[in-house]
Amino acid sequence: MTAPKTPGWLDWCPAPSTPDFRLPPGAVDAHCHVFGPQAQFPFASGRKYTPCDAGKDALFALRDHLGVARNVIVQATCHGADNSAMVDAVRASGGRARGVATVRPDVGAAELRELHAAGVRGVRFNFVKRLVDASPREDLSAIAKKIAPLGWHIVLYFEAADLPELETFFGGLPAPLVIDHLGRPDVTQPVDGPEFRRFLDFAGTHDVWVKVSCPERLTVTGPPALAGERHAYTDVVPFARRVVEEFPDRVLWGTDWPHPNLKHHMPDDGLLVDHVRHLADTPGRQRQLLVDNPMRLYWPGETA
Ligand code: 0GY
């Protein structure tokens, strides 16, 4: 028996446009997910949503359509700490994907070694309350201690409003930190305002990488009103540009396909690729964001 989708859940864009922007050779989509298919990889019993199926074949087809060379597949909360769908996709990619896992504090060395051999290079700690129940910090610290010797990093997903309460804990973690979706700023606040400044200061004083991803999730003004208009999500652009300007060698980009939990608007992934030109407006910056930085973090020593 398969569980029905969460009401209002939007499926991913079935026919994304061909981007105008040609991604540089070797470009990495450093944030995407796979969901199921649930008949093969059932969703976790404690999940907060039930998505549509979005398996590896659809992800790889999107990769090729957009001109992406590689993917980083991030474990989504609907699969809990069962990494099988993600690992299956990473293994099937023939070295063109890496993974970020969710693990429990009692994870053993053998399991971590197996995940590493499959292509996993990080764990994700999620603090977004609508997605997960809070994990005790001792549990997260125990995980961090186990993964640090492998050279892995910790992907952090949190709301900007929660950073003041979390930053001391984050700052004590013994591994590089990778922050999802610009730290989820409130884009109605000024880019020079205290909330975003705090985020930039945190990123600037720790071993932090930032994903300039998910404009479709952060936007308040929404996608372009006019069909055919390819400059979208303009309210998010100043925030992403600021991060690219301040940390050009520590930014990553990703599609966030298949875009969990969107109920009003599903982005055209081709448009998301075009959006990159507004965040990084020179070929040098684009190459850092799309190729050099993710290669350094996920495929060190390999050429793109
Ligand atoms: C994202 C964002 C979301 C979901 C998850 O793991 C997840 O369920 O990350 C969200 O709902 O904001 O990164 O895909």
Side-chain angles (χ1 to χ4, degrees), residues 12-278:
W12 33 280
C13 176
S17 61
T18 300
D20 287 342
F21 174 48
R22 286 189 57 159
L23 289 166
V28 179
D29 175 352
H31 189 99
C32 52
H33 308 286
V34 286
F35 299 150
Q38 68 165 309
Q40 190 183 356
F41 300 110
F43 299 127
S45 55
R47 67 190 179 278
K48 304 278 186 186
Y49 62 82
T50 302
C52 58
D53 279 340
K56 60 181 186 285
D57 295 338
L59 175 65
F60 297 158
L62 179 77
R63 175 195 68 194
D64 295 343
H65 171 75
L66 297 178
V68 162
R70 295 176 164 86
N71 297 102
V72 180
I73 307 175
V74 177
Q75 177 75 354
T77 55
C78 57
H79 278 298
D82 175 358
N83 295 292
S84 340
M86 180 272 289
V87 164
D88 173 69
V90 172
R91 285 205 175 111
S93 74
R96 293 178 66 184
R98 294 294 194 220
V100 172
T102 297
V103 298
R104 297 203 172 88
D106 61 356
V107 64
E111 189 185 342
L112 288 176
R113 271 199 306 276
E114 200 181 312
L115 288 169
H116 190 89
V120 171
R121 294 293 180 267
V123 286
R124 192 179 196 207
F125 293 173
N126 199 320
F127 299 85
V128 176
K129 297 177 183 94
R130 66 184 163 77
L131 291 173
V132 282
D133 296 328
S135 297
R137 293 199 184 165
E138 312 82 79
D139 287 2
L140 299 177
S141 297
I143 293 168
K145 225 167 122 189
K146 290 184 181 183
I147 62 93
L150 296 166
W152 290 13
H153 57 264
I154 300 169
V155 172
L156 298 173
Y157 191 29
F158 60 90
E159 306 276 358
D162 295 330
L163 181 60
E165 181 209 323
L166 293 167
E167 62 188 350
T168 308
F169 174 66
F170 289 167
L173 290 169
L177 307 175
V178 178
I179 298 181
D180 282 343
H181 314 334
L182 289 164
R184 290 198 61 108
D186 172 356
V187 300
T188 65
Q189 294 192 24
V191 70
D192 292 314
E195 186 185 271
F196 201 56
R197 189 64 256 165
R198 186 163 192 149
F199 172 73
L200 295 171
D201 288 347
F202 176 76
T205 50
H206 295 85
D207 187 1
V208 166
W209 302 63
V210 183
K211 292 180 195 163
V212 293
S213 47
C214 263
E216 72 284 2
R217 206 177 276 292
L218 303 173
T219 187
V220 175
T221 53
L226 297 174
E229 169 61 71
R230 300 200 61 85
H231 187 10
Y233 315 116
T234 47
D235 54 345
V236 184
V237 169
F239 293 82
R241 278 185 78 101
R242 177 64 62 83
V243 171
V244 171
E245 278 157 19
E246 291 208 15
F247 313 112
D249 58 353
R250 289 191 281 133
V251 282
L252 306 165
W253 169 83
T255 56
D256 195 35
W257 187 90
H259 311 287
N261 295 314
L262 293 185
K263 300 209 170 122
H264 302 294
H265 148 71
M266 178 54 59
D268 165 359
D269 297 282
L271 193 73
L272 291 176
V273 169
D274 280 355
H275 183 75
V276 175
R277 292 174 299 192
H278 303 288

